[in-house]
Amino acid sequence: MLQHLGQAASIAAKNYANKNALIFNRKTLTFKQLHERIERAAAGLASVGVAPGDIVTLYAGNSTEWVISYYAIARAGAVINPINTMLTPEEVEFVVRDCGAKAIIVSESLVEGALRVRELVKAAVVVGDAAPDDMMTFKALLAGEFPDLPEIDVDPDSLSTICYTSGTTGHPKGAMQSHKSVIMNGAMTAQAHMRRLDDVVISALPCPHVYANVVMQAMMFYGATLVLHERFDPAALLADIPRHKATIIDGVPTMYMYMLDHPDLEKTDLSSLTRAYVGGQTMPEAKMIAVEEKFGIPLIELWGMTEIAGLGTTHPLYGINKHGSVGIALPYCEVRITDPDDPETALPVAEVGELQIRGPLNMMGYYGNEDQTRATLLADGWLRTGDMARLDEDGCVFIVDRLKDMILTGGFNVYPAEIERVLAGHPDVALAAVGKKADELKGEIAKAYIVLAKGRSGNAQAIMEYCRGHLAAYKCPREIQFVPDVPKTSTGKIMRRELHTLDAGN
């Protein structure tokens, strides 16, 4: 196995040479070509002052340059700080100040964020055709005549990456990952999924996201070809499946829901696909079954988080695929369910509590935040995830919901994901999201926001009756609102805390 991420490109070039590595916007790079560009970019970063151990913020959209930058930062011995492109300039400034980044690589469309922090960093590189006077373009970085970098010696347990959480309350926290944890996550995910040399993987997942990271590592570590999309567009993704004879598709639930509802699906040749994976948020079983029927392949769910560098659980390809479950712990890891009010007390099989995970994938801690680190990483190595879940007798994990998203209605705990799973089974529903709403009598009630399937008119009363046939009365939504879309993160994950912005009068 690799010792550090800086070795990844050179080893891949030796192993896979002229095999196609990355396809983006109809342009293809072989592993050899990708390695050459990574070496030039790394030398360029060193020439503008990036030293081993420095932190480099990567604030750019999906692109060939993003992939090159990621590995070039590691090749220069620096620490990768990939951040979400949805961050505002103010939020970018917070991250750069918080981690002390020495350089920033930014998309031309996001250059305002780099301008805000220009005085804080040694160098700023713009992915695009033009750059402000005190910055350089990525093309210039690649074209420069810089001395080749010598091989570097990096401790596998040293810091490789700082990934900031979404920050649902207060400022985001920088989860620190070692080289070992990132490499092991990519390796163990590939092993469970059997991602290999003959796979062509199609993905529109945002590159800064940890799910996208393990997909990318399967390309670099095991020679799979990655067909990367700049952003999710169902028609474009469907068209690229037969064009590139894709064997694997990765996505979040909303991506599959939009593809299911797209008119191009029926006329798309999906015969090259062998399997599909879904993560980022729990997916209703009804929609999983619909994907398997329409695509003709198994859809396998996974679970992960920023604090473990990617996946923590999934179903192995050659194993039982239990819909509704996110599978079993990756090799070398273990999971347990605990009392949320007493995180040291494990709960028995079938009881709902907080999911915890322990193993070599766990983060080193939150950058510069000892209090939050102690609250998340327990003394005996268990990491508190904040996800409510249960285990079955086989050790399979069933995610119930996020602890913070729970709705307390009339003294009962209600989980939005449970309602969403039921709503997804109604023929009028393309996508459903459930949020909480204040109520004088019950404290909080569940409100459903529904995107209708094409050609459906929708009847709120009929949908409520449908829910009553599948859920206990206290779990049913008390309000339904039909909407054209719902707020989502860059990964396509539903932002439940923003659903209230769709209410009348907002």
Side-chain angles (χ1 to χ4, degrees), residues 279-302:
Q281 204 164 29
T282 54
M283 186 165 185
E285 188 174 343
K287 294 299 183 184
M288 292 189 72
I289 293 170
V291 169
E292 291 189 332
E293 290 175 348
K294 292 288 187 179
F295 283 68
I297 53 173
L299 176 61
I300 300 171
E301 198 164 4
L302 54 91

Side-chain angles (χ1 to χ4, degrees), residues 32-44:
K32 181 180 177 182
Q33 291 169 331
L34 187 57
H35 173 237
E36 290 169 350
R37 286 161 174 77
I38 289 168
E39 285 293 315
R40 291 206 300 270

Side-chain angles (χ1 to χ4, degrees), residues 354-368:
E354 184 181 13
L355 176 65
Q356 293 184 5
I357 186 167
R358 181 166 67 179
L361 308 181
N362 284 3
M363 67 174 180
M364 302 162 70
Y366 293 117
Y367 190 88

Side-chain angles (χ1 to χ4, degrees), residues 42 78 107 116 144 174 177 196 226 237 260 262 308 358 379 398 438:
S107 292
R116 183 155 180 150
Q177 294 293 349
R196 51 191 178 240
L226 175 59
L237 208 69
L260 281 174
H262 199 278
I308 57 173
R358 181 166 67 179
F398 291 76

Side-chain angles (χ1 to χ4, degrees), residues 9-36:
S10 62
I11 292 175
K14 290 174 185 175
N15 289 340
Y16 313 118
N18 295 317
K19 182 181 182 297
N20 289 344
L22 179 65
I23 301 173
F24 180 78
N25 280 349
R26 308 287 181 90
K27 295 181 181 178
T28 303
L29 289 180
T30 66
F31 284 96
K32 181 180 177 182
Q33 291 169 331
L34 187 57
H35 173 237
E36 290 169 350

Side-chain angles (χ1 to χ4, degrees), residues 433-452:
V434 174
K436 62 179 71 175
K437 182 177 178 180
D439 182 81
E440 287 186 11
L441 183 62
K442 296 182 178 294
E444 294 173 334
I445 59 170
K447 179 175 179 178
Y449 300 80
I450 293 174
V451 178
L452 291 169

